[in-house]
Amino acid sequence: MIIALKNRVLLTLFIMLLAAFSLPFLSYAPNRLLSGKGISLISLLHGPALWLLLPLSALAVLSLQAPLRRWALFTALTASILLAMIFWLSGDAAQQLALQGAPLARTSWGSGYWLMAALCGLIAADAITRITPSHLWRMLGNLLVMLPALLLLFSGQLDQLSLLKEYHNRQEVFDAALLQHLSILLATMLPALLIGVPLGVLCYRSERWQTPIFSTLNIIQTVPSIALFGLLIAPLAGLAAAWPWLAKLGISGIGMAPAIVALVLYALLPLVRSVVAGLQSVPASVIESASGMGMTRGQLFLRVQLPLALPLFLTGVRILAVQTLGMAVVAALIGAGGFGAIVFQGLLSSALDLVLLGVLPVIAMAVIVDSLFKCIISLLEVTH
C-alpha cells in the first residue's frame, strides 16, 4: 500500500483511465441527426488493437513508482503512445463501420474516448511538469506528446469519423470562420490596448481617478455579453443611419462593429488592472535610484517602470486574448461570424459534431495563445 501511494496523481489518473472502459468509446448512428448506439472499447480490443493494453500496463507499473524525474520521461512517452493508439483505433473502427453501414451513417467519438484523451493529456502534462519548470520546454514537450496523434489526424486515418466528415463538407466555411475569428481577436486587442494602457497609467498616477474608472469597468463587466451586444444594436444602427459614411466603413447595428465594441469594453477591466498591478510592483527603491540619476518622468517610465512591469502587464494581455477568443463565439448571435456561427448552426440542427467543429478550434486557439504568452512572460522574468 505504501508503494502504491508514491505517485498519487498518476495513480488517480490511471484509475480514472480504467473507469473510461465502462463508457461508450464510439457512437454509431444511421445519420447525423439521430442518437447513436454506444460501442465499448472492450468490444474493439481484438487483433492489432490488443497492443493498446501495452501502454496501459506500463502506466500501471509507472503509477507504483516514486514521482522521480527519470520515470516522468517514460510516463510522458507512454501517455503519448496511448493517445496515438486510441486515435488510430477510433479511426480504424470508423473505417470498418463505414464499409458495413449506409452512406449517411455516422461514427462519432463517445464519452469514453473524450475521457481517455483528456486523461492522457493530463498524465503527460503532469509528467512534463516534473521534468522541467520552463514554460517553453513544457510547451514543446506537450507538442511532442500530441505529435503522433496529429500525424494520424493529418494522414487521413480519422476521415471516416463524423467530426472529420463535417469538416470536409464545410472546409471553406471553416477557413472563413477561422479568418473571421482571428480578425475579431486582433480588432479587439488593438483598441483595447490603446485605451486600456493609458487608463491604467492614469489610475496608477492619480488615486482620485481610480475609484470612478474601476467602478465603471466593474459595472460593464457585470453586464451579460448577450445583453451588451443587444444594447449596442440601436445606437450603432442610429449612427449608421445618420452618417452613411459610417455604414460604408462597415459600422451598423449588427455584424462586426457591435461585437468589437462590446469585446473592447469587456477587455478593459483585466487590462487596466494588470497595468496598475505591474506598475505598483516596481520597488520604490528602484524608482528612487533612477530619479537620483537624473532621469525625467518619461525616461523613468520607459526605461525602468515599463520593463519591470511588463510581465504582469502581459499577464493581463494574456487574459484579455483568451477571454476574447471565448466571447467571440457568442458574438455570432449578432452576425459577427467566426466559429460561433458554426456552433449555433450545429445547435439549431441538433448536430453535436457540428457544434464540436466550432468549439474545438476555439479551445485549441485559446491554449496556443495562453501557452505563447506564458513562454514570453517566463522569458521576461528570467531576463529581469
Side-chain angles (χ1 to χ4, degrees):
M1 181 64 66
I2 296 176
I3 296 177
L5 295 178
K6 282 186 177 179
N7 194 339
R8 292 181 175 88
V9 174
L10 181 56
L11 184 60
T12 302
L13 294 174
F14 177 72
I15 293 173
M16 295 175 65
L17 201 59
L18 294 179
F21 277 77
S22 62
L23 300 173
F25 185 73
L26 294 175
S27 176
Y28 182 74
N31 56 62
R32 63 188 289 237
L33 300 180
L34 296 179
S35 299
K37 179 183 178 182
I39 301 174
S40 66
L41 179 58
I42 295 176
S43 66
L44 299 175
L45 290 179
H46 52 79
L50 289 172
W51 286 101
L52 185 72
L53 299 177
L54 189 59
L56 281 172
S57 302
L59 285 176
V61 174
L62 289 168
S63 66
L64 302 179
Q65 306 300 318
L68 301 177
R69 188 175 180 179
R70 64 174 179 268
W71 295 117
L73 181 60
F74 291 106
T75 303
L77 180 61
T78 305
S80 176
I81 294 172
L82 180 60
L83 181 62
M85 290 193 72
I86 63 173
F87 257 67
W88 169 83
L89 181 57
S90 63
D92 183 70
Q95 290 176 0
Q96 297 299 324
L97 291 170
L99 294 175
Q100 302 170 9
L104 294 178
R106 296 297 182 99
T107 304
S108 305
W109 281 318
S111 55
Y113 166 83
W114 290 111
L115 180 58
M116 290 189 72
L119 290 172
C120 288
L122 289 174
I123 290 171
D126 176 68
I128 292 171
T129 302
R130 299 179 190 278
I131 295 172
T132 174
S134 170
H135 287 293
L136 177 60
W137 288 111
R138 286 183 192 177
M139 186 175 71
L140 292 175
N142 287 317
L143 182 60
L144 289 175
V145 167
M146 292 291 298
L147 186 60
L150 291 175
L151 290 176
L152 285 173
L153 176 64
F154 291 111
S155 69
Q157 173 68 23
L158 309 179
D159 284 354
Q160 292 302 322
L161 287 164
S162 179
L163 181 61
L164 272 298
K165 286 185 176 181
E166 295 288 357
Y167 168 73
H168 290 302
N169 292 337
R170 294 172 170 78
Q171 187 169 358
E172 293 184 1
V173 176
F174 183 92
D175 294 341
L178 175 61
L179 181 61
Q180 290 169 352
H181 217 91
L182 291 175
S183 299
I184 293 173
L185 174 63
L186 296 176
T188 299
M189 292 190 66
L190 183 59
L193 290 170
L194 292 176
I195 299 171
V197 173
L199 281 179
V201 175
L202 177 62
C203 290
Y204 169 73
R205 291 182 174 176
S206 175
E207 293 186 3
R208 182 169 62 92
W209 284 98
Q210 278 192 19
T211 300
I213 289 176
F214 279 122
S215 297
T216 303
L217 296 180
N218 280 322
I219 292 172
I220 294 173
Q221 201 75 16
T222 59
V223 179
S225 56
I226 297 178
L228 186 56
F229 290 144
L231 290 173
L232 291 171
I233 291 176
L236 289 178
L239 288 174
W243 291 285
W245 61 272
L246 290 176
K248 293 181 180 179
L249 293 176
I251 297 176
S252 62
I254 59 173
M256 193 79 76
I260 291 174
V261 172
L263 292 173
V264 168
L265 292 175
Y266 277 122
L268 290 178
L269 181 61
L271 191 57
V272 173
R273 284 193 182 280
S274 67
V275 172
V276 174
L279 293 174
Q280 289 177 344
S281 68
V282 180
S285 58
V286 174
I287 298 175
E288 185 177 353
S289 299
S291 300
M293 294 171 63
M295 285 190 179
T296 63
R297 194 174 185 179
Q299 291 175 330
L300 179 63
F301 177 76
L302 293 175
R303 297 182 181 181
V304 179
Q305 290 177 296
L306 185 59
L308 294 177
L310 201 54
L312 275 176
F313 167 65
L314 288 179
T315 300
V317 179
R318 175 175 65 87
I319 296 171
L320 153 65
V322 174
Q323 172 184 285
T324 302
L325 283 170
M327 294 187 65
V329 175
V330 185
L333 290 173
I334 55 172
F339 286 116
I342 298 177
V343 171
F344 290 113
Q345 183 182 355
L347 290 173
L348 291 173
S349 58
S350 300
L352 178 59
D353 289 306
L354 191 55
V355 176
L356 291 174
L357 185 64
V359 170
L360 292 178
V362 177
I363 296 174
M365 290 164 62
V367 171
I368 292 171
V369 169
D370 182 72
S371 300
L372 289 175
F373 271 105
K374 282 183 177 179
C375 289
I376 295 171
I377 292 168
S378 63
L379 291 174
L380 286 174
E381 289 175 345
V382 170
T383 303
H384 294 315

